Amino acid sequence: MLIPKIKKKSILSMLERDLRLDGRSPNQYRDISVHVGVIEKAEGSALAKIGNTVALVGIKVGVGTPFPDLPDQGVLAVNAEFVPLAFPTFEPGPPDENAVELARIIDRSLRELDVVDLKKMTIIPGEKVYIIWLDIYVLDHDGNLTDACMLASMAALLNTKVPKAEADDRGFIKLNKDEATPLPVNRRVVIVSIGKVGGKLIVDPNLEEEQVLEAKLSISIGDNGVVAGMQKTGLSSFTQEEVEKAVEIALNKSKELFTVIDEALKKPSSLWEALRNNG
Amino acid sequence: MLIPKIKKKSILSMLERDLRLDGRSPNQYRDISVHVGVIEKAEGSALAKIGNTVALVGIKVGVGTPFPDLPDQGVLAVNAEFVPLAFPTFEPGPPDENAVELARIIDRSLRELDVVDLKKMTIIPGEKVYIIWLDIYVLDHDGNLTDACMLASMAALLNTKVPKAEADDRGFIKLNKDEATPLPVNRRVVIVSIGKVGGKLIVDPNLEEEQVLEAKLSISIGDNGVVAGMQKTGLSSFTQEEVEKAVEIALNKSKELFTVIDEALKKPSSLWEALRNNG
Amino acid sequence: MLIPKIKKKSILSMLERDLRLDGRSPNQYRDISVHVGVIEKAEGSALAKIGNTVALVGIKVGVGTPFPDLPDQGVLAVNAEFVPLAFPTFEPGPPDENAVELARIIDRSLRELDVVDLKKMTIIPGEKVYIIWLDIYVLDHDGNLTDACMLASMAALLNTKVPKAEADDRGFIKLNKDEATPLPVNRRVVIVSIGKVGGKLIVDPNLEEEQVLEAKLSISIGDNGVVAGMQKTGLSSFTQEEVEKAVEIALNKSKELFTVIDEALKKPSSLWEALRNNG
Amino acid sequence: MSSEDKIVLIDEKGRRIDGRGPEDLRPIRMEIDVLKNADGSAYVEQGGTKVIAAVYGPREVHPRHLAFPDRAAIRCRYHMAPFSTSERKSPAPSRREIELSKVIREALESVVFTQLYPRTVIDIFIEVLQADGGTRCAGLTAASLALADAGIPIRDLIAAVAVGKIDGVLVLDINETEDEHCEADMPMAMAPSFNEIVLLQLNGVLSPEETSKAIELGKKGIMKIYELQKETLKKKYELSTRRSQVVT
Amino acid sequence: MSSEDKIVLIDEKGRRIDGRGPEDLRPIRMEIDVLKNADGSAYVEQGGTKVIAAVYGPREVHPRHLAFPDRAAIRCRYHMAPFSTSERKSPAPSRREIELSKVIREALESVVFTQLYPRTVIDIFIEVLQADGGTRCAGLTAASLALADAGIPIRDLIAAVAVGKIDGVLVLDINETEDEHCEADMPMAMAPSFNEIVLLQLNGVLSPEETSKAIELGKKGIMKIYELQKETLKKKYELSTRRSQVVT
Amino acid sequence: MSSEDKIVLIDEKGRRIDGRGPEDLRPIRMEIDVLKNADGSAYVEQGGTKVIAAVYGPREVHPRHLAFPDRAAIRCRYHMAPFSTSERKSPAPSRREIELSKVIREALESVVFTQLYPRTVIDIFIEVLQADGGTRCAGLTAASLALADAGIPIRDLIAAVAVGKIDGVLVLDINETEDEHCEADMPMAMAPSFNEIVLLQLNGVLSPEETSKAIELGKKGIMKIYELQKETLKKKYELSTRRSQVVT
């Protein structure tokens, strides 16, 4: 994964003129697209692309027992798999620290804003609740997985239908998919990741840029304009001023991302369409 | 495990004359013996030998909860351990792909023919059922593990006694070994494995032959003359005609195997006897 | 971990004159100290030092279901972690064979003497009992972990307060820490480990000595003067006479250890004090 | 093959639950080069079943001692996405996935010229994104396309399909509902140009005669899938040729 | 941040549940060289939070291929003792511990001169012995002291603290009870001499303005902790100097 | 040692539940060379306990860095078959199996001339096929026979037996029922020719005097087992000599 020093040099010298290797300006995202409803058997799903980065999220709804300390809430379980078909160094096996960190960043962003109204997800209070399994599948990694995975997660939740829970004659709870209602979603959240290289801030770093980044700050923004999470990654640091500037940029760019989600929700798509226009 | 090419040559040239290195004809099994009742503490057990291949199967009967989608059936759990004492390259640890495949082939053969009458293995419908643990232990590996393990499994099931389930004063289910009845077995199944080498089909390949096989087809045969499972293994292929010929051979040879089981069931044996006549 | 042969020679030649490298006599322990109550959030805790060996034990009390065959007893679970900060070759991950052996030696010593009165640890007979988690944490390893960990374990149990179990309005059992009573302890036990080197027996071998030991015998002694466990470790052997002599020594030295515990119980200490006087 | 309920899987007119006749395949579509990072990739839809396959390699093996001096090692992972099934599936590999990874690998290895790349490894990853029956077959179909897309020399493509027996009738390309209630399910895969059966499994009960007929039926389906595979490759090849001409 | 109960976390006089004002740190004490085997070690108490850190290295890497040709690798494990929490914690690393090990490692790596020790590894082990809020911050504070104690060249110490928002008020160095009921929890760490923020996380909701103010408040706490760290090192240094003079 | 029920383990005539007197061994039989692939193997039955042991080696170590430059490494696995116990045992190694593998290995290592085979490994596998008390002892008895059968130079065989205390009486070679209800269980193993105790464990409570007497009693049993071991080897040796004479 060592990028020649010469490439770093050219990235830096172009940034001096506010330009990036792929022609973008510092605050510009790559092309973004979101397709919802691509996995028909899942209760909710979405595929998000940012440039060549592809993230697929499927949501399954099941029945389980609540956490003892939260007996009157449904359960949301967020998991991320960096499957080995997505990148040469991704390996089979349990999620590594990067996949765990990504899942937890998204999980916290959803939780802190009460994005899913888990209090409405109880079936029998204290005994049976809905479990919302949100599984993130990275299919192609070209940098900035966080923003793509958050986009796909948010769109998939908005695409989710919750089957009606019915007790059978033995008292077992079964889910009836024929009577399903939209998942209660309180509000929306996106993540805007901002890289720092040569002291400059750039939005949506691609893989090539990530390899020369000094540090990165992923900022979760709610659709009510609040900061709903931050995570600094990378081996270097930010100054307070840089953090403040990054928050400002994130607030700005979040609007674009919310618009992309809005557009995507207008009509469900197919995986065939979503994957094919990769060329 | 690389066998000298010269050995492959001699195997092939002998097969041209329908002969095998150990003096067998192509459709001939090695010596087969089955001993039942060798583990007295197990509810059922059998040791099967095919040539120098030795497989021991023990069956334990326990109490558990049924699968939610099959509330009125007992549970049959088949597991295979290739313990490291059986072969230089077998390693400690969870079953590898070969052990998993073998256990699943045997499991399917038993399941597809309803060999064990699991519907009779309910204790309290929907709540408590018998669990039949069938554990396969390979003790010595000289080729054709599948047929030997299936033989031992089938004989062990026919040797199994199911203890009576009784509720104690707290309502816990306990098993009473003093009142045990034979496991309800609907029918019998065996597996005949047929190797392909130099385009020839041979029954019961030994280890030396397995190392030069192009491919192998393991065919499960029910005692009602049906094909109850097939599994092709190995890096090469079969033609349709070869598969048809293999099925015909398997049907034929299955009769020998059923006879071996019949003989073995006539009297229980001891592990001492079973292991000692290895010489 | 290879100690120069020259050091072994000097250890042996000094032992000829009943002397040890650190100035001790063969039957002499290093300085021992025990501090109880060092983890205030735990229900019980103790830190024990023997020379530079440091063991910390914390006890958590929880609620769980009893073992089916012991429905009217609480559960004691002993676990040992050799965390990697304690020694250059300790590795992260599940306990290795040394940690497992140590935990099991201590577990058996506690169990065989009924040190904890588990029969008094039932909440709802057959359904809910107290679970006593005894977690051993080795912080610094300079030899003779067994004796230090047993000391810390015994002192921590004597320091433990059991919160009152109360059912809430839903019938869930909650623990009320404000109403806690001392853990019922029937009697005390310590372990005295005796090494054999050059045919001589030495008490409390330190790390340097352990590296040249032929064998070691860890002897559990109850405060009623019985032998409550033995474990021989190491690649060599003992004669019967050596075992008898070791038992005699252990009985003798156990009195010192019981006195150390008595002293420690007189006043709770802080982790700050316990760790700082390491210098 | 387990459930208690009696479902009508074939009506009096010989129509199956999704309207097909016994010898009809489900609608299939396939595309190669759908991923950027992989050396080769393919996406296959067969009815409701959706699989994606990627190939990396030939590349270096770590640790080294897993390499073969005389040929490339082939590793294969068949894996189901947690959201691909009716009930959420744990992402940890099940015993079923371990077995299928093995038989798929053996089928693919029969067509790859592994001896061209000694001391290397070729990694084949199959992800089932939606499971509606026949996932190992669709996975094989996709994996062999991905090998071709990666430019790895192969003797032939692999095409695969499952034959089932329902209410006594042999049917082609069973879907999940049929699989759950059928009397037999026989997945098979071929190197079609050589008439070689490279994967063959049977779960369920057939008479010897039915076994022959099932293989015969499977072959018919496989040949159709094979044609589609070749078309898919050809289309892409022409496209990229045209493109390169434009460049030239 | 989850519980249902309404607890008064700040009274009408602006006092917090443990009597502190909004900008007060909890009592802190720290000590280095508390372990014999480790190359460097430190113990930090911050209110009820107690952490111990140890450093081994630079030392050889096994297996070799994990080494870097141009610098030392840094490995970091943040781990909680089973008895450190209210309910007993399984000793197997949780997802939380895996994440925190990563962000702590990245923060520490920003100050270590790793290029001085190519092909080696520096192991940093943090054990939380009692958890009462702010454990990752106390862990970082301790780990950078342990690095210094091990004599590993660092550009600066790392000092860390968590800022919280409670009932609309930004408060410094939240404890566990505050953490459970707060609106936001923002752990941050700095290399204070360089004014560099090397760890920054936010769990919870802040307005952009509050974010700035929270960082400002965190900086104040960090500077105080930094002073204590330097004193701790100085005291020990003088002690050992005095000792060595005695020897001479 | 746990159950509540009071069972009469020794009757008024001093007979144990299986009719033995306090100092009687259970019936023992043993055989070597029972497996073809292993370099050495042995099968031992002691009452209802049935164990089989196999030895592979000296052979190459993988990975290499586990090898010792000056001697062979010894690895040992004591393992119980899932069907060997009253309740089915999970095949994953339990903490008990991990501990017993260690103490058995240490006992065996005391008699093997490991320095003859530097840089190699000797693998010893013990499988308990039926457990009725004294499995670690029968395992050691079998393993040392398997080492001899493998032709690995050893100073002495290892013979082992468990001594128990029941209703205040010391008894030899306790079976499972006795083990469950006894006051003490003391497994021990010796290199009998050298009078060396190479394994010694005590679970339960003994007075110091009883400890001595228990060792004394154990020795008696061990000597009998040792004689049987030597006979077993001799018989086979004569047999193979006769055989080779026939060949010549």
Side-chain angles (χ1 to χ4, degrees), chain A residues 145-167:
Chain A
L145 292 178
T146 320
D147 298 12
C149 291
M150 181 79 253
L151 257 187
S153 299
M154 192 64 238
L157 287 170
L158 290 162
N159 173 252
T160 298
K161 293 253 187 305
V162 180
K164 195 174 169 192
E166 297 169 345

Side-chain angles (χ1 to χ4, degrees), chain A residues 38-42 52 56-60 79 81 83-88 92-93 133 135 137 139-141 270-272 275-276 278, chain D residues 29-31 34-38 43 45 50 52 54 56 59 77 79-88 91 125 127 129-131 176:
Chain A
V38 294
I39 304 293
E40 297 86 351
K41 280 183 82 170
N52 287 321
L56 174 60
V57 168
I59 288 171
K60 296 298 299 179
N79 179 57
E81 299 283 320
V83 284
L85 60 57
F87 199 62
W133 297 99
D135 281 286
Y137 237 57
L139 291 181
D140 224 347
H141 168 31
S270 74
L271 200 50
W272 178 255
L275 279 174
R276 271 192 94 211
N278 211 24
Chain D
R29 46 186 181 177
M30 46 187 82
E31 181 70 292
V34 292
L35 298 174
K36 285 295 163 196
N37 283 314
Y43 174 67
E45 278 187 14
K50 305 178 186 205
I52 190 165
Y56 284 89
R59 58 182 178 178
R77 185 173 104 131
H79 188 245
M80 302 182 91
F83 46 75
S84 65
T85 47
S86 298
E87 305 252 315
R88 193 240 181 196
F125 302 115
E127 291 289 341
L129 300 178
Q130 184 164 286
E176 190 176 51

Side-chain angles (χ1 to χ4, degrees), chain F residues 173-184:
Chain F
D173 190 18
I174 53 174
N175 64 26
E176 190 176 51
T177 311
E178 291 176 328
D179 187 19
E180 278 164 10
H181 299 86
C182 70
E183 292 129 45

Side-chain angles (χ1 to χ4, degrees), chain C residues 61-113:
Chain C
V61 176
V63 177
T65 48
F67 289 115
D69 51 333
L70 294 169
D72 297 324
Q73 293 201 6
V75 172
L76 172 67
V78 176
N79 180 57
E81 298 283 319
F82 288 8
V83 285
L85 60 59
F87 199 62
T89 60
F90 287 174
E91 289 188 4
D96 72 352
E97 60 172 26
N98 297 300
V100 165
E101 184 186 36
L102 183 139
R104 285 178 53 84
I105 291 173
I106 288 175
D107 185 59
R108 286 197 294 261
S109 305
L110 295 170
R111 217 168 282 280
E112 296 297 347
L113 280 174

